[in-house]
Amino acid sequence: MKIALLGYGKMGRAIEDIAQRRGHEIVARKTSTTPFEAADLADVAIEFSTPEAAVTNLEWAIDQRIPVVCGTTGWLHDYEKMVDRCHKADAALLYASNFSLGVNLFFEVTQYVAQLMNNRPEYHVSIDEIHHTQKKDAPSGTAITMAEIVASQTDDIDGWVLGKPQAGKIPIRALREPEVPGTHTLFYRSAIDSMSFTHTAHSREGFALGAVLAAEWMAGKKGVFSMKDVLGLHREK
């Protein structure tokens, strides 16, 4: 499979390493200072850039009708616009706030726990996320996904807030420390006890492997997808 890397930072290099080990060819390495040269030869594109560059990269891939897997966060105010563009172009887009297989299973745990804790007003829910100091957006896309999952399963919560708690919102605390790939913790606290559920990434390799697996799954497809599709995690209602 021929892959175009739209973004060639630390994640792009990690993806390149795993993709080549799995027998794929990297035909383009797009950065902020290089053109899309040779990228149109790709069977699939993997987009890990910056919030400022993501939409331009996605528009290019969609317009070229090259299936694109995107892991950049911080651009989701334009997500619905990209979905609409994808459908109109009969193209393929897969966005995930986190491609780690473990994190996507952790999302399922988060949903189940939130269902159990609904209508338990004695417990207050919150989320902590810790990332490396080079991460530009806060809170992380993964923490936002967790908060959205909890809110969807909790009757008296309708969103999240960064920092100071607000009524009806899940407070998220975003910490930045050197050399931390990503740690996310879901807390439920009451006056008498507390529970916490944590996912800790030990390296970028898990994110990179998940992105490559998603790209392999996406090749030749049309439509808008998520990691639930890749991992077969959609539950029957």
Side-chain angles (χ1 to χ4, degrees):
M1 186 170 69
K2 295 180 179 180
I3 299 174
L5 298 177
L6 308 182
Y8 194 58
K10 290 181 180 180
M11 270 301 301
R13 290 174 173 83
I15 290 168
E16 177 181 48
D17 180 59
I18 288 178
Q20 290 177 334
R21 279 191 270 148
R22 293 177 68 85
H24 303 305
E25 178 185 358
I26 306 301
V27 296
R29 299 166 180 83
K30 173 74 172 64
T31 71
S32 60
T33 59
T34 59
F36 288 103
E37 185 177 352
D40 56 353
L41 301 175
D43 299 308
V44 65
I46 301 179
E47 207 287 334
F48 271 86
S49 61
T50 65
E52 296 77 23
V55 171
T56 297
N57 289 338
L58 292 174
E59 288 175 338
W60 177 87
I62 289 169
D63 292 348
Q64 295 291 318
R65 298 180 70 188
I66 296 173
V68 57
V69 170
C70 177
T72 303
T73 58
W75 63 274
L76 290 185
H77 51 281
D78 286 318
Y79 177 74
E80 292 302 329
K81 184 171 73 174
M82 291 302 100
V83 168
D84 183 62
R85 192 176 187 127
C86 182
H87 287 313
K88 287 180 178 177
D90 193 28
L93 167 65
L94 188 156
Y95 167 75
S97 61
N98 194 310
F99 281 94
S100 162
L101 304 185
V103 163
N104 281 277
L105 295 172
F106 185 62
F107 288 154
E108 298 298 300
V109 172
T110 298
Q111 180 174 337
Y112 180 66
V113 171
Q115 290 171 347
L116 291 177
M117 299 303 290
N118 188 25
N119 296 318
R120 304 301 314 187
E122 63 269 35
Y123 287 92
H124 299 282
V125 62
S126 64
I127 294 170
D128 278 8
E129 60 102 333
I130 309 172
H131 279 87
H132 52 87
T133 52
Q134 293 177 325
K135 186 169 178 61
K136 295 182 178 181
D137 57 315
S140 69
T142 301
I144 292 172
T145 299
M146 290 171 62
E148 290 173 343
I149 290 170
V150 173
S152 72
Q153 305 298 319
T154 309
D155 293 339
D156 59 353
I157 292 175
D158 63 2
W160 58 271
V161 63
L162 181 62
K164 188 176 179 180
Q166 295 180 18
K169 308 290 183 183
I170 300 168
I172 301 177
R173 186 171 64 151
L175 304 175
R176 297 292 175 260
E177 299 177 3
E179 303 303 321
V180 178
T183 300
H184 295 85
T185 303
L186 173 68
F187 292 99
Y188 281 92
R189 296 183 174 99
S190 76
I192 59 173
D193 61 8
S194 63
M195 293 175 279
S196 62
F197 306 87
T198 299
H199 178 275
T200 302
H202 300 305
S203 73
R204 289 185 175 85
E205 186 167 342
F207 311 136
L209 174 61
V212 174
L213 291 174
E216 292 172 349
W217 184 88
M218 277 281 281
K221 289 186 169 61
K222 306 291 184 184
V224 177
F225 305 100
S226 71
M227 282 299 284
K228 279 182 175 285
D229 298 295
V230 177
L231 299 176
L233 295 176
H234 287 292
R235 304 188 208 179
E236 294 185 4
K237 295 182 179 180

